[in-house]
Amino acid sequence: MKLIGSLGSPYVRKVRVVMAEKKLDYTFVLEDVWAENSTIQISNPLGKVPCLVMEDGGAMFDSHVIVEYLDTLTPVGKLIPANTRERAEVKCWEALADGIAEAAILMRLERLQRPVEQQSEAWVARQRSKVEAGLKAMAVGLAEKPFCSGNHYTLADVAVGCALGWLSFRFPEIEWRDTYPTLAKLCDKLSERASFKDTAPQ
Ligand code: GSF
């Protein structure tokens, strides 16, 4: 398998963490999707990473689909429960974590990709409110539990760790660690895992 991605993306990191937890072999191919000569659309018409290219040449996206597929490949390090209700809970955590990252990415793109006079403060504030509300919802959902969903490590924790890691990487001014110490504790615990250590955003 070949994973096309970048070193900064929280979604690519989520897939790489899952690959590592499940001890799957793959070739990591770096792609700058913003470069004019990017060939990402050959594999993903949406022009986004992560994109998984399988042995038969077939391509798969987006990160939700990829991690769900990877989890079926081996029983090692099962990350998505089979039970429908628990499964939905884990997937909802993933949607929340990825949604926070998405809102923050939109804030960043507005600042980086648009001329200053075209930037909308209202748009940035709208995305920021999603980030703030999302962080609060994650802290409420985690409460004093050791993991996000149930009593063990799942894709929910992987997604939360990747979203929060990215937030600290790109938006150090958003001080979620002080506001939500339980989320910080979870992140510190996750960052001790080799899967997280080896994929820190850069
Ligand atoms: C999001 C992927 C994405 O936005 C997923 O895989 O879960 N829902 C998708 N990827 C970004 C890189 S990053 O900011 O994580 C991307 O490839 N953007 C290029 C573009 O043209 O938007």
Side-chain angles (χ1 to χ4, degrees):
M1 286 183 290
K2 188 173 86 173
L3 177 69
I4 309 175
S6 65
L7 295 171
S9 164
Y11 309 109
V12 174
R13 187 183 190 195
K14 185 178 62 176
V15 173
R16 292 174 72 204
V17 169
V18 169
M19 289 274 204
E21 297 291 358
K22 300 195 64 74
K23 308 204 180 321
L24 292 165
D25 280 332
Y26 68 104
T27 308
F28 188 42
V29 179
L30 284 175
E31 176 78 33
D32 176 1
V33 289
W34 299 104
E36 271 188 26
N37 61 355
S38 170
T39 53
I40 184 64
Q41 279 181 301
I42 295 172
S43 307
N44 179 355
L46 303 176
K48 295 186 180 196
V49 288
C51 179
L52 186 73
V53 181
M54 286 157 294
E55 309 300 338
D56 65 1
M60 189 186 286
F61 44 86
D62 61 4
S63 66
H64 310 98
V65 178
I66 299 172
V67 293
E68 186 146 16
Y69 169 66
L70 295 178
D71 203 42
T72 65
L73 291 184
T74 151
V76 174
K78 202 83 186 133
L79 290 167
I80 306 176
N83 172 293
T84 51
R85 182 64 197 263
E86 286 167 27
R87 185 181 183 84
E89 186 178 303
V90 165
K91 299 291 285 179
C92 193
W93 270 102
E94 183 189 20
L96 179 59
D98 283 9
I100 291 172
E102 185 186 4
I105 287 168
L106 288 175
M107 284 163 63
R108 185 172 146 79
L109 293 180
E110 183 76 3
R111 295 281 186 235
L112 290 183
Q113 305 270 11
R114 289 171 82 90
V116 177
E117 64 280 6
Q118 285 178 21
Q119 290 177 21
S120 162
E121 288 310 315
W123 172 254
V124 172
R126 184 177 172 83
Q127 303 311 322
R128 175 75 188 237
S129 84
K130 292 178 199 286
V131 173
E132 299 294 351
L135 287 169
K136 190 172 178 185
M138 290 203 307
V140 170
L142 177 62
E144 302 296 326
K145 292 185 285 143
F147 295 107
C148 296
S149 180
N151 282 324
H152 57 276
Y153 179 59
T154 67
L155 177 66
D157 306 293
V158 175
V160 167
C162 292
L164 290 175
W166 187 85
L167 213 52
S168 292
F169 174 59
R170 290 298 189 201
F171 288 91
E173 68 275 22
I174 300 181
E175 290 171 341
W176 59 270
R177 285 187 154 267
D178 295 337
T179 319
Y180 302 114
T182 51
L183 290 180
K185 197 170 148 200
L186 173 69
C187 266
D188 291 344
K189 191 167 66 180
L190 294 175
S191 51
E192 285 167 14
R193 302 182 77 90
S195 59
F196 273 85
K197 266 194 198 140
D198 296 344
T199 57
Q202 45 182 285

